[in-house]
Short mmCIF file of all heavy atoms in Angstrom, two decimals:
data_model
loop_
_atom_site.label_atom_id
_atom_site.label_comp_id
_atom_site.label_asym_id
_atom_site.label_seq_id
_atom_site.Cartn_x
_atom_site.Cartn_y
_atom_site.Cartn_z
N LEU A 789 81.56 93.70 84.60
CA LEU A 789 82.04 93.95 83.20
C LEU A 789 83.35 94.69 83.14
O LEU A 789 84.03 94.71 82.22
CB LEU A 789 80.99 94.72 82.44
CG LEU A 789 79.65 93.96 82.09
CD1 LEU A 789 78.67 94.86 81.41
CD2 LEU A 789 79.93 92.68 81.32
N ILE A 790 83.69 95.33 84.24
CA ILE A 790 84.91 96.17 84.31
C ILE A 790 86.08 95.28 84.89
O ILE A 790 85.97 94.82 86.03
CB ILE A 790 84.73 97.42 85.20
CG1 ILE A 790 83.43 98.16 84.79
CG2 ILE A 790 85.97 98.27 85.18
CD1 ILE A 790 83.53 98.72 83.48
N LYS A 791 87.09 95.10 84.11
CA LYS A 791 88.29 94.24 84.50
C LYS A 791 89.11 95.03 85.47
O LYS A 791 89.71 94.48 86.35
CB LYS A 791 89.05 93.86 83.31
CG LYS A 791 88.36 92.90 82.27
CD LYS A 791 89.28 92.41 81.16
CE LYS A 791 88.54 91.80 80.10
NZ LYS A 791 87.73 92.51 79.26
N ALA A 792 89.19 96.44 85.31
CA ALA A 792 90.03 97.20 86.18
C ALA A 792 89.55 97.34 87.52
O ALA A 792 88.31 97.08 87.81
CB ALA A 792 90.12 98.59 85.53
N GLU A 793 90.44 97.65 88.52
CA GLU A 793 89.92 97.89 89.91
C GLU A 793 89.22 99.15 90.00
O GLU A 793 89.73 100.19 89.46
CB GLU A 793 91.24 97.86 90.80
CG GLU A 793 90.96 97.55 92.23
CD GLU A 793 92.21 97.34 93.04
OE1 GLU A 793 92.85 96.30 92.76
OE2 GLU A 793 92.46 98.12 93.90
N ILE A 794 88.10 99.20 90.63
CA ILE A 794 87.21 100.40 90.60
C ILE A 794 87.41 101.13 91.95
O ILE A 794 87.28 100.54 93.10
CB ILE A 794 85.82 100.00 90.50
CG1 ILE A 794 85.65 99.31 89.10
CG2 ILE A 794 84.90 101.25 90.48
CD1 ILE A 794 84.23 98.66 88.96
N HIS A 795 87.63 102.44 91.90
CA HIS A 795 87.72 103.35 93.07
C HIS A 795 87.00 104.62 92.83
O HIS A 795 87.48 105.39 92.06
CB HIS A 795 89.23 103.65 93.39
CG HIS A 795 90.08 102.45 93.80
ND1 HIS A 795 90.31 102.13 95.10
CD2 HIS A 795 90.68 101.49 93.05
CE1 HIS A 795 91.09 101.08 95.24
NE2 HIS A 795 91.32 100.64 94.02
N GLU A 796 85.89 104.79 93.54
CA GLU A 796 85.05 105.92 93.21
C GLU A 796 85.58 107.19 94.00
O GLU A 796 86.33 107.07 94.92
CB GLU A 796 83.60 105.64 93.56
CG GLU A 796 83.31 105.67 95.08
CD GLU A 796 83.57 104.20 95.62
OE1 GLU A 796 84.05 103.30 94.93
OE2 GLU A 796 83.07 103.97 96.78
N TRP A 797 85.08 108.40 93.49
CA TRP A 797 85.39 109.63 94.19
C TRP A 797 84.27 110.54 93.99
O TRP A 797 83.56 110.47 93.04
CB TRP A 797 86.70 110.25 93.68
CG TRP A 797 86.63 110.45 92.15
CD1 TRP A 797 86.74 109.56 91.22
CD2 TRP A 797 86.38 111.73 91.50
NE1 TRP A 797 86.69 110.18 89.92
CE2 TRP A 797 86.43 111.45 90.15
CE3 TRP A 797 86.14 113.02 91.95
CZ2 TRP A 797 86.23 112.48 89.17
CZ3 TRP A 797 85.88 114.03 91.05
CH2 TRP A 797 85.98 113.84 89.69
N LYS A 798 84.10 111.48 94.99
CA LYS A 798 82.87 112.38 94.88
C LYS A 798 83.24 113.86 94.62
O LYS A 798 82.42 114.60 94.05
CB LYS A 798 82.09 112.20 96.07
CG LYS A 798 82.67 112.82 97.37
CD LYS A 798 81.72 112.57 98.56
CE LYS A 798 82.23 113.24 99.82
NZ LYS A 798 83.50 112.53 100.29
N ASP A 799 84.45 114.32 94.91
CA ASP A 799 84.82 115.70 94.80
C ASP A 799 86.34 115.76 94.61
O ASP A 799 87.00 114.78 94.65
CB ASP A 799 84.34 116.56 95.93
CG ASP A 799 84.80 116.06 97.33
OD1 ASP A 799 85.92 115.34 97.35
OD2 ASP A 799 84.12 116.29 98.28
N GLY A 800 86.85 117.05 94.47
CA GLY A 800 88.26 117.18 94.28
C GLY A 800 89.04 116.62 95.35
O GLY A 800 90.23 116.10 95.17
N ALA A 801 88.67 116.93 96.62
CA ALA A 801 89.44 116.39 97.72
C ALA A 801 89.58 114.90 97.71
O ALA A 801 90.65 114.33 97.93
CB ALA A 801 88.84 116.88 98.99
N GLU A 802 88.44 114.27 97.43
CA GLU A 802 88.52 112.72 97.49
C GLU A 802 89.29 112.17 96.26
O GLU A 802 90.01 111.22 96.25
CB GLU A 802 87.15 112.13 97.48
CG GLU A 802 87.02 110.63 97.78
CD GLU A 802 85.69 110.19 98.17
OE1 GLU A 802 84.69 110.74 97.77
OE2 GLU A 802 85.70 109.19 98.89
N MET A 803 89.13 112.94 95.18
CA MET A 803 89.88 112.53 93.90
C MET A 803 91.37 112.66 94.22
O MET A 803 92.10 111.66 93.89
CB MET A 803 89.64 113.57 92.77
CG MET A 803 90.54 113.26 91.54
SD MET A 803 90.90 114.63 90.47
CE MET A 803 89.49 114.89 89.53
N GLU A 804 91.89 113.65 94.77
CA GLU A 804 93.27 113.80 95.10
C GLU A 804 93.73 112.65 96.10
O GLU A 804 94.74 111.97 95.77
CB GLU A 804 93.65 115.06 95.86
CG GLU A 804 95.11 115.17 96.15
CD GLU A 804 95.38 116.60 96.82
OE1 GLU A 804 94.67 116.99 97.71
OE2 GLU A 804 96.44 117.19 96.50
N ARG A 805 92.93 112.34 97.10
CA ARG A 805 93.35 111.37 98.03
C ARG A 805 93.41 109.92 97.45
O ARG A 805 94.33 109.20 97.62
CB ARG A 805 92.37 111.30 99.31
CG ARG A 805 92.60 110.27 100.29
CD ARG A 805 91.65 110.34 101.42
NE ARG A 805 90.24 110.13 101.01
CZ ARG A 805 89.72 108.93 100.69
NH1 ARG A 805 90.48 107.82 100.80
NH2 ARG A 805 88.47 108.81 100.34
N VAL A 806 92.27 109.56 96.68
CA VAL A 806 92.23 108.28 96.10
C VAL A 806 93.34 108.13 94.98
O VAL A 806 94.00 107.10 94.87
CB VAL A 806 90.81 108.03 95.44
CG1 VAL A 806 90.76 106.73 94.68
CG2 VAL A 806 89.82 108.00 96.54
N LEU A 807 93.49 109.03 94.16
CA LEU A 807 94.53 109.04 93.10
C LEU A 807 95.88 108.78 93.65
O LEU A 807 96.65 108.01 93.16
CB LEU A 807 94.42 110.35 92.17
CG LEU A 807 95.51 110.37 91.08
CD1 LEU A 807 95.34 109.28 90.10
CD2 LEU A 807 95.41 111.71 90.37
N LEU A 808 96.27 109.59 94.61
CA LEU A 808 97.65 109.50 95.18
C LEU A 808 97.77 108.22 96.02
O LEU A 808 98.91 107.64 96.00
CB LEU A 808 97.96 110.64 96.04
CG LEU A 808 97.88 112.05 95.40
CD1 LEU A 808 98.34 113.21 96.32
CD2 LEU A 808 98.88 112.04 94.10
N GLN A 809 96.72 107.70 96.53
CA GLN A 809 96.81 106.36 97.25
C GLN A 809 97.10 105.24 96.19
O GLN A 809 97.88 104.41 96.41
CB GLN A 809 95.53 106.05 97.97
CG GLN A 809 95.34 106.78 99.29
CD GLN A 809 93.96 106.51 99.97
OE1 GLN A 809 93.17 105.93 99.38
NE2 GLN A 809 93.96 106.86 101.27
N ILE A 810 96.42 105.31 95.09
CA ILE A 810 96.62 104.33 93.93
C ILE A 810 98.00 104.45 93.43
O ILE A 810 98.74 103.41 93.21
CB ILE A 810 95.58 104.44 92.83
CG1 ILE A 810 94.15 104.21 93.37
CG2 ILE A 810 95.88 103.60 91.64
CD1 ILE A 810 93.06 104.50 92.43
N ILE A 811 98.53 105.65 93.16
CA ILE A 811 99.90 105.82 92.64
C ILE A 811 100.95 105.28 93.59
O ILE A 811 101.83 104.62 93.29
CB ILE A 811 100.16 107.28 92.34
CG1 ILE A 811 99.29 107.78 91.24
CG2 ILE A 811 101.56 107.58 92.04
CD1 ILE A 811 99.32 109.33 91.04
N ASP A 812 100.71 105.55 94.96
CA ASP A 812 101.58 105.08 95.96
C ASP A 812 101.51 103.48 96.05
O ASP A 812 102.64 102.84 96.10
CB ASP A 812 101.18 105.65 97.29
CG ASP A 812 102.06 105.13 98.44
OD1 ASP A 812 103.33 105.47 98.40
OD2 ASP A 812 101.65 104.37 99.30
N ARG A 813 100.39 102.94 95.87
CA ARG A 813 100.24 101.51 95.88
C ARG A 813 100.95 100.89 94.75
O ARG A 813 101.68 99.89 94.93
CB ARG A 813 98.78 101.08 95.87
CG ARG A 813 98.51 99.68 95.82
CD ARG A 813 97.00 99.41 95.79
NE ARG A 813 96.73 98.03 95.33
CZ ARG A 813 95.43 97.63 95.14
NH1 ARG A 813 94.45 98.40 95.42
NH2 ARG A 813 95.20 96.36 94.68
N ILE A 814 100.83 101.37 93.57
CA ILE A 814 101.45 100.88 92.37
C ILE A 814 102.95 100.94 92.47
O ILE A 814 103.60 100.09 92.16
CB ILE A 814 100.91 101.50 91.09
CG1 ILE A 814 99.40 101.30 90.81
CG2 ILE A 814 101.75 101.10 89.89
CD1 ILE A 814 98.89 102.15 89.71
N SER A 815 103.40 102.07 93.02
CA SER A 815 104.80 102.32 93.20
C SER A 815 105.44 101.33 94.11
O SER A 815 106.49 100.78 93.87
CB SER A 815 105.09 103.74 93.59
OG SER A 815 104.72 104.72 92.62
N ARG A 816 104.74 101.04 95.28
CA ARG A 816 105.23 100.09 96.25
C ARG A 816 105.32 98.73 95.64
O ARG A 816 106.21 97.93 95.88
CB ARG A 816 104.30 100.16 97.49
CG ARG A 816 104.52 101.40 98.33
CD ARG A 816 103.52 101.37 99.49
NE ARG A 816 103.68 102.58 100.30
CZ ARG A 816 104.53 102.84 101.26
NH1 ARG A 816 105.34 101.86 101.58
NH2 ARG A 816 104.55 103.97 101.87
N GLU A 817 104.20 98.39 94.95
CA GLU A 817 104.17 97.03 94.32
C GLU A 817 105.31 96.88 93.30
O GLU A 817 105.95 95.79 93.24
CB GLU A 817 102.82 96.81 93.54
CG GLU A 817 101.67 96.62 94.50
CD GLU A 817 100.37 96.54 93.83
OE1 GLU A 817 100.36 96.76 92.60
OE2 GLU A 817 99.31 96.30 94.48
N GLU A 818 105.65 97.92 92.64
CA GLU A 818 106.78 97.87 91.64
C GLU A 818 108.10 97.66 92.36
O GLU A 818 108.95 96.93 91.94
CB GLU A 818 106.72 99.11 90.74
CG GLU A 818 107.65 99.20 89.64
CD GLU A 818 107.21 98.26 88.47
OE1 GLU A 818 106.06 97.83 88.46
OE2 GLU A 818 108.13 97.86 87.65
N ILE A 819 108.19 98.43 93.47
CA ILE A 819 109.43 98.32 94.26
C ILE A 819 109.63 96.92 94.81
O ILE A 819 110.74 96.31 94.73
CB ILE A 819 109.47 99.32 95.42
CG1 ILE A 819 109.64 100.74 94.91
CG2 ILE A 819 110.54 99.04 96.47
CD1 ILE A 819 109.33 101.89 95.97
N ASN A 820 108.58 96.37 95.31
CA ASN A 820 108.64 95.01 95.91
C ASN A 820 108.92 94.02 94.80
O ASN A 820 109.63 93.00 95.00
CB ASN A 820 107.21 94.65 96.53
CG ASN A 820 107.08 95.48 97.78
OD1 ASN A 820 107.96 95.95 98.49
ND2 ASN A 820 105.76 95.62 98.23
N SER A 821 108.28 94.19 93.59
CA SER A 821 108.53 93.27 92.47
C SER A 821 109.98 93.30 92.02
O SER A 821 110.62 92.26 91.83
CB SER A 821 107.54 93.69 91.35
OG SER A 821 107.89 92.81 90.19
N ASN A 822 110.59 94.56 91.96
CA ASN A 822 111.87 94.73 91.55
C ASN A 822 112.89 94.14 92.63
O ASN A 822 113.91 93.51 92.26
CB ASN A 822 112.28 96.16 91.38
CG ASN A 822 111.57 96.71 90.05
OD1 ASN A 822 111.32 96.00 89.15
ND2 ASN A 822 111.42 98.04 90.03
N SER A 823 112.52 94.35 93.98
CA SER A 823 113.35 93.77 95.00
C SER A 823 113.34 92.26 94.91
O SER A 823 114.43 91.53 95.13
CB SER A 823 112.75 94.13 96.36
OG SER A 823 112.94 95.56 96.50
N ALA A 824 112.12 91.66 94.61
CA ALA A 824 112.02 90.15 94.50
C ALA A 824 112.87 89.65 93.33
O ALA A 824 113.62 88.65 93.46
CB ALA A 824 110.58 89.83 94.33
N LYS A 825 112.89 90.43 92.24
CA LYS A 825 113.62 90.00 91.13
C LYS A 825 115.18 90.08 91.38
O LYS A 825 115.90 89.23 90.96
CB LYS A 825 113.32 90.84 89.84
CG LYS A 825 111.93 90.64 89.29
CD LYS A 825 111.66 91.65 88.15
CE LYS A 825 110.20 91.49 87.70
NZ LYS A 825 109.92 92.47 86.64
N LEU A 826 115.61 91.12 92.08
CA LEU A 826 116.96 91.21 92.46
C LEU A 826 117.42 90.20 93.40
O LEU A 826 118.44 89.61 93.22
CB LEU A 826 117.24 92.64 93.07
CG LEU A 826 117.19 93.89 92.10
CD1 LEU A 826 117.25 95.16 92.95
CD2 LEU A 826 118.40 93.81 91.14
N PHE A 827 116.54 89.81 94.32
CA PHE A 827 116.81 88.78 95.33
C PHE A 827 116.98 87.48 94.60
O PHE A 827 117.83 86.69 94.87
CB PHE A 827 115.70 88.70 96.37
CG PHE A 827 115.93 87.59 97.34
CD1 PHE A 827 116.85 87.76 98.39
CD2 PHE A 827 115.19 86.45 97.33
CE1 PHE A 827 117.06 86.73 99.31
CE2 PHE A 827 115.31 85.43 98.32
CZ PHE A 827 116.28 85.59 99.29
N SER A 828 116.08 87.19 93.64
CA SER A 828 116.03 85.94 92.81
C SER A 828 117.39 85.81 92.03
O SER A 828 117.98 84.86 92.04
CB SER A 828 114.85 85.90 92.02
OG SER A 828 114.83 84.72 91.19
N ALA A 829 117.68 86.96 91.43
CA ALA A 829 118.93 87.03 90.60
C ALA A 829 120.20 86.77 91.48
O ALA A 829 121.11 86.12 91.05
CB ALA A 829 119.00 88.31 89.88
N ASP A 830 120.18 87.37 92.75
CA ASP A 830 121.33 87.31 93.58
C ASP A 830 121.46 85.85 94.12
O ASP A 830 122.61 85.32 94.13
CB ASP A 830 121.11 88.20 94.81
CG ASP A 830 122.37 88.23 95.69
OD1 ASP A 830 123.39 88.48 95.15
OD2 ASP A 830 122.13 88.09 96.87
N CYS A 831 120.28 85.18 94.33
CA CYS A 831 120.32 83.79 94.83
C CYS A 831 120.86 82.94 93.73
O CYS A 831 121.68 81.99 93.99
CB CYS A 831 118.92 83.43 95.23
SG CYS A 831 118.39 84.08 96.73
N LYS A 832 120.44 83.29 92.47
CA LYS A 832 120.95 82.38 91.38
C LYS A 832 122.38 82.54 91.19
O LYS A 832 123.17 81.54 90.96
CB LYS A 832 120.22 82.89 90.12
CG LYS A 832 120.53 82.03 88.92
CD LYS A 832 119.65 82.43 87.72
CE LYS A 832 119.96 81.50 86.47
NZ LYS A 832 119.12 82.01 85.35
N LEU A 833 122.93 83.76 91.40
CA LEU A 833 124.43 84.01 91.23
C LEU A 833 125.16 83.26 92.34
O LEU A 833 126.22 82.70 92.07
CB LEU A 833 124.68 85.49 91.25
CG LEU A 833 124.36 86.30 90.06
CD1 LEU A 833 124.51 87.84 90.25
CD2 LEU A 833 125.26 85.88 88.86
#
């Protein structure tokens, strides 16, 4: 029923680790996406 990706945590230490891993993952995906867009635009030019 949950559309979002689920990542559980049990205490503060695990919360920090999981949260920062997700942030890092999203940031990397955004960088890769922007790089792909730039590459596509460059190829088009």
